[in-house]
Amino acid sequence: MSQKFSSLRISLPLALLFGFFIAATVVAAESDPWLRPEVAPAPPENQLTPARVLLGQMLFFDPRLSRKATMSCASCHNPSLGWSDGLPTAVGFDMHTLARATPTIVNTSFNPIQMWDGRKSTLEDQATGPIEAAGEMNLPLPELIERLKGIPGYASKFEDAYPGMGITAVTVARGLASFERTVLSTESPFDRWRKGEENAVSASAKNGFELFQDKAKCAVCHMGYNFTDNGFHNIGVKDEGAPDVGRYAQRPLKSMHGAFKTPTLRDIGRTAPYMRNGSYKSLMAVVEHYDRGGDDKQNLDINMVPLKLTASEKADLVAFLESLTGVPPDVRVPALPL
Amino acid sequence: MTPRSYSAIRLSLMAVVVTLAMPAFAGDQVVSQAKKAFTVGVLKAKVGDTITFRNDDEFAHNVFSLSDVQSFDLGSYKKGEVRTVKLTAPGTIEVECAIHPEMKMKIEVAK
């Protein structure tokens, strides 16, 4: 017995120490502003349930949500291509090329404002926008609802997800938003490094992160775990044709002319080409753009200045950016209701 | 220290306390922009008052209002810089930062 007490006396402090270490690690991870919360926020009226996510997943991959039943949300937000499309700018209704790049929807559920120009605030608000946009899926919502009501297999899916609410524009939007809340970045080498795995990223990437926050000024806009300030900036990207006014269409203020929402950098290794018009094929080209202080100097954001980075510093920044990409998750494409 | 000195100190302290408690209707008020937020949610002021916005963040901010009562665009400015607006009409003015749309406040302007 005394021997048992003796082992207890040794193991208890060790256990407490170990417990303290684990707790400290968890707290550090939770309070690290560069680490993503585990779960995306959802409004009280649309809390996540498996039935809602399943419904949203079916709607997301269903081409019948477009006028000619040829385009689904996933046509542009393709999980095989970082939830974007790999194109400089999106291709919409009848193969019409649009003016802006398809933004990834990875982690968009954390953003309080949606779309390149911020014209939608919530995921629910955003979800049906591309469906009815004439240049995109081009299906007016009343027609969409009638079409979905004519597909027998959808009735039970909507009932399971939103009992008693029926098939409406509201339940379509809520279902799609629920699925989008599950589209999250996976653990990247950067995350593992922040959690204490020293060798998860290279020395070059670590230096790149320092530059990102300091000399290169990237974190002025790409801040926090989702690497965005959810703000609007004119970073001097050139347009081939008529200039895209961006946020100015929503907020007619001088500083918003040519300003666009700061995109996330999560999984950036999978979302080339880059910028709101797909101007650059590589991350190095993006870094060069910022190093020049932008190209179109009209109405440039006052944070944009030439950076005078060395070749080595540019390489470090690219190494850091590449460390933000995790292993792509396996995405199940659901059998659609008939 | 004489009782008169104590009274003087008490009066001075009271004056300080009264001054601190009066920002609601002072003629010139300062609103800080820090940690991506206006430090005041609702500011009470009067027509003719001047409101100064000071950027205490490391990055640029902006101030504008598109309210019917009074619209203005003070532009974007860096850390440590200020922008000022004179209130010209009674009513509620909604103020935002154009760069960071989450940053919002109101100014309730009395006659």
Side-chain angles (χ1 to χ4, degrees):
Chain A
M1 187 70 179
S2 64
Q3 203 170 4
K4 279 184 184 170
F5 272 124
S6 174
S7 346
L8 270 176
R9 274 201 299 272
I10 295 168
S11 57
L12 195 61
L14 273 176
L16 286 171
L17 191 65
F18 181 71
F20 175 77
F21 175 76
I22 294 293
T25 307
V26 169
V27 168
E30 284 178 353
S31 61
D32 187 333
W34 298 102
L35 291 177
R36 175 176 69 70
E38 285 295 312
V39 180
E45 69 278 10
N46 196 26
Q47 291 289 295
L48 280 193
T49 66
R52 290 173 180 180
V53 174
L54 177 62
L55 171 67
Q57 189 177 21
M58 289 171 166
L59 293 169
F60 191 86
F61 285 96
D62 195 335
R64 293 169 293 184
L65 269 66
S66 63
R67 172 174 288 280
K68 293 188 175 177
T70 52
M71 287 181 73
S72 69
C73 304
S75 298
C76 294
H77 300 286
N78 184 340
S80 303
L81 294 166
W83 299 94
S84 182
D85 54 15
L87 299 169
T89 60
V91 173
F93 184 70
D94 268 356
M95 298 303 288
H96 178 69
T97 300
L98 304 176
R100 296 174 186 167
T102 300
T104 181
I105 59 164
V106 165
N107 292 351
T108 195
S109 45
F110 290 100
N111 297 339
I113 193 161
Q114 306 290 335
M115 315 295 251
W116 278 114
D117 58 9
R119 65 183 180 275
K120 302 286 187 181
S121 54
T122 66
L123 274 185
E124 282 78 0
D125 191 19
Q126 177 275 332
T128 52
I131 297 173
E132 57 184 344
E136 299 182 45
M137 295 160 81
N138 196 18
L139 183 60
L141 292 183
E143 285 184 45
L144 167 68
I145 300 310
E146 285 312 302
R147 190 180 287 185
L148 291 176
K149 284 179 177 174
I151 301 170
Y154 262 123
S156 63
K157 301 301 176 193
F158 274 89
E159 184 58 24
D160 290 347
Y162 301 100
M165 290 181 68
I167 300 176
T168 66
V170 170
T171 50
V172 168
R174 288 185 182 181
L176 283 166
S178 294
F179 174 64
E180 289 185 73
R181 289 195 173 94
T182 68
V183 179
L184 303 174
S185 55
T186 54
E187 190 176 61
S188 66
F190 171 80
D191 295 320
R192 300 206 312 274
W193 174 53
R194 296 296 296 181
K195 291 173 185 172
E197 192 181 323
E198 268 308 307
N199 297 325
V201 300
S202 65
S204 173
K206 289 175 189 173
N207 192 46
F209 185 47
E210 292 301 315
L211 291 162
F212 182 86
Q213 297 172 88
D214 188 14
K215 183 177 176 182
K217 303 175 187 291
C218 315
V220 162
C221 304
H222 293 284
M223 59 175 70
Y225 61 85
N226 210 17
F227 292 89
T228 174
D229 60 352
N230 290 300
F232 295 86
H233 306 269
N234 183 334
I235 57 168
V237 171
K238 266 190 177 171
D239 285 302
E240 289 297 321
D244 190 336
V245 300
R247 178 66 169 164
Y248 185 82
Q250 309 302 316
R251 293 285 184 275
L253 304 160
K254 181 180 176 295
S255 60
M256 292 295 100
H257 202 280
F260 292 81
K261 189 161 75 75
T262 310
T264 182
L265 302 181
R266 287 282 180 182
D267 286 344
I268 194 167
R270 300 186 56 76
T271 58
Y274 303 108
M275 304 303 203
R276 44 95 176 166
N277 60 0
S279 322
Y280 300 124
K281 291 179 180 171
S282 70
L283 289 173
M284 181 55 83
V286 172
V287 171
E288 297 274 9
H289 172 91
Y290 285 107
D291 189 48
R292 293 192 298 273
D295 292 326
D296 185 346
K297 309 287 186 186
Q298 287 182 27
N299 205 40
L300 204 57
D301 188 289
I302 59 174
N303 294 303
M304 288 289 292
V305 291
L307 301 172
K308 298 178 180 166
L309 298 168
T310 65
S312 167
E313 288 171 335
K314 290 175 194 172
D316 289 348
L317 277 166
V318 171
F320 161 66
L321 291 169
E322 287 171 342
S323 79
L324 296 175
T325 301
V327 176
D330 285 329
V331 177
R332 190 176 72 91
V333 178
L336 298 179
L338 300 172
Chain B
M1 196 174 277
T2 64
R4 184 176 286 193
S5 304
Y6 276 121
S7 308
I9 290 170
R10 269 202 303 274
L11 276 173
S12 305
L13 283 173
M14 281 172 66
V16 169
V17 169
V18 168
T19 305
L20 288 174
M22 281 181 60
F25 287 101
D28 188 6
Q29 302 187 64
V30 177
V31 175
S32 168
Q33 294 166 294
K35 296 180 181 173
K36 266 178 73 181
F38 289 104
T39 50
V40 180
V42 180
L43 187 71
K44 293 185 184 299
K46 289 186 298 185
V47 172
D49 284 358
T50 297
I51 310 298
T52 297
F53 297 92
R54 187 182 66 227
N55 183 355
D56 289 325
D57 267 330
E58 294 295 323
F59 39 84
H61 281 306
N62 167 288
V63 170
F64 79 93
S65 176
L66 297 177
S67 296
D68 293 337
V69 171
Q70 183 179 350
S71 66
F72 52 85
D73 179 8
L74 306 184
S76 303
Y77 48 104
K78 294 180 177 175
K79 179 189 178 182
E81 294 183 11
V82 298
R83 291 292 184 273
T84 299
V85 63
K86 187 169 187 176
L87 305 175
T88 57
T92 299
I93 301 173
E94 292 171 347
V95 177
E96 292 180 41
C97 168
I99 299 172
H100 307 107
E102 291 172 273
M103 291 176 60
K104 293 178 182 179
M105 67 167 292
K106 289 180 181 176
I107 306 174
E108 292 178 355
V109 188
K111 284 182 184 174

